[in-house]
Amino acid sequence: MEGLVRIALRTARQQAPQLIQAHDRPPVSRFSPKGLQEYVHQLRTRMTSAFHEMVHSQFPEHQIARDSTNLSKQSGYCWFIEPLCGEENFLRSMSDYCAVIGVFHNGVSQHIVIYHYLDDSEYYATKDEGAVVNKVRLRVSSASSLTRAVVAYAQQDTTSNSSNYQVKVDTLVRSLRRSGCVALDFARVAQGKLDACVSVGTNQIIPSAASLLVSEAGGFSRANLNDEISIAGNPQIFDGLKSKLID
């Protein structure tokens, strides 16, 4: 395992206890709206500080992106860190929430780490070296027909075309799933549990980072920071979705 990936995973794992401790008592049911907002702010601040401290202490010459614009303009190594992807799931004690750590070099994804807090599952990939979960190689599914495909759909934010894309995808495939955690959707595509993932919205930074996991597992992806829609999947389903949604 790449040393950089090992350190990122270790830091993510250290955040798990405080999240798991809250899992059986849904925060959304314990706080007023204002209290919940403050709770999330403090939680994210603590977690983000831990990740930033790790980067600054281990890799002082590396940068940390504030947003996708900042990331695309950075030269050299730049980290993207999302400590709680699937925040709403966590607040409702649903299991799909994770950390996402992406490392880019001159705007190109080099490493991706996705740590599923509750399952203690470690997904990671390094460019041109394959994708792994818990030391087991990942491989995308072999589904070849859109009408038999199970596809995840993620709406990153509200856009004018979001509902149109969802309806269109739903008519093309066997089943459409919405987990509320786009990073784990991409991880499950790489794992072969889902055949593809479609992410719609103006904020494509997590799909852009997580797509490396799919491509290193033998799949294809179209996920760029400036796109409105990202698609990742096994080669056949990816081609089918791309031709219907983009081409």
Side-chain angles (χ1 to χ4, degrees):
M1 181 192 298
E2 167 77 32
L4 183 152
V5 171
R6 184 181 296 107
I7 293 169
L9 277 170
R10 183 179 66 196
T11 307
R13 199 180 296 112
Q14 290 169 350
Q15 311 310 307
Q18 62 180 318
L19 298 177
I20 294 172
Q21 186 177 23
H23 187 75
D24 291 332
R25 299 178 63 220
V28 75
S29 67
R30 291 190 280 124
F31 297 95
S32 66
K34 184 176 180 180
L36 187 65
Q37 185 178 19
E38 181 62 23
Y39 171 79
V40 171
H41 173 72
Q42 293 183 6
L43 177 65
R44 280 187 166 274
T45 297
R46 290 196 301 271
M47 296 175 73
T48 300
S49 295
F51 281 108
H52 284 209
E53 182 179 342
M54 175 272 293
V55 175
H56 291 317
S57 63
Q58 298 291 330
F59 311 99
E61 73 282 10
H62 292 189
Q63 303 296 314
I64 300 175
R66 295 187 302 273
D67 53 41
S68 59
T69 302
N70 181 252
L71 178 60
S72 63
K73 293 181 178 179
Q74 287 289 347
S75 60
Y77 281 97
C78 187
W79 294 60
F80 163 73
I81 299 168
E82 168 51 70
L84 190 54
C85 180
E87 178 184 295
E88 190 66 31
N89 289 341
F90 164 73
L91 293 175
R92 296 175 181 275
S93 292
M94 301 170 71
S95 62
D96 281 354
Y97 51 90
C98 65
V100 184
I101 305 106
V103 182
F104 292 74
H105 185 257
N106 296 334
V108 178
S109 181
Q110 301 295 316
H111 307 279
I112 177 65
V113 170
I114 296 174
Y115 180 66
H116 192 316
Y117 291 114
L118 204 61
D119 284 358
D120 192 29
S121 295
E122 303 173 347
Y123 300 87
Y124 56 90
T126 295
K127 188 173 176 59
D128 300 326
E129 294 187 15
V132 174
V133 58
N134 297 340
K135 300 181 180 180
V136 177
R137 283 278 184 174
L138 293 174
R139 200 70 192 164
V140 295
S141 75
S142 59
S144 58
S145 168
L146 280 178
T147 57
R148 298 293 299 171
V150 177
V151 175
Y153 183 88
Q155 184 174 317
Q156 296 296 86
D157 46 45
T158 303
T159 69
S160 59
N161 291 324
S162 292
S163 58
N164 293 337
Y165 279 123
Q166 182 176 353
V167 170
K168 192 165 187 178
V169 174
D170 197 23
T171 62
L172 294 171
V173 303
R174 177 180 182 179
S175 179
L176 196 65
R177 307 292 172 89
R178 297 192 66 169
S179 73
C181 183
V182 65
L184 288 177
D185 290 339
F186 274 71
R188 287 164 181 155
V189 172
Q191 202 171 10
K193 292 184 176 182
L194 295 170
D195 302 309
C197 177
V198 176
S199 169
V200 176
T202 57
N203 184 3
Q204 292 295 330
I205 190 168
I206 291 180
S208 180
S211 63
L212 179 64
L213 199 70
V214 176
S215 60
E216 289 296 322
F220 291 168
S221 66
R222 179 192 184 275
N224 298 308
L225 295 174
N226 299 320
D227 287 342
E228 180 188 35
I229 180 171
S230 292
I231 303 173
N234 78 32
Q236 296 86 354
I237 304 305
F238 170 84
D239 285 341
L241 288 173
K242 182 173 177 289
S243 67
K244 298 294 184 179
L245 300 178
I246 299 174
D247 293 347

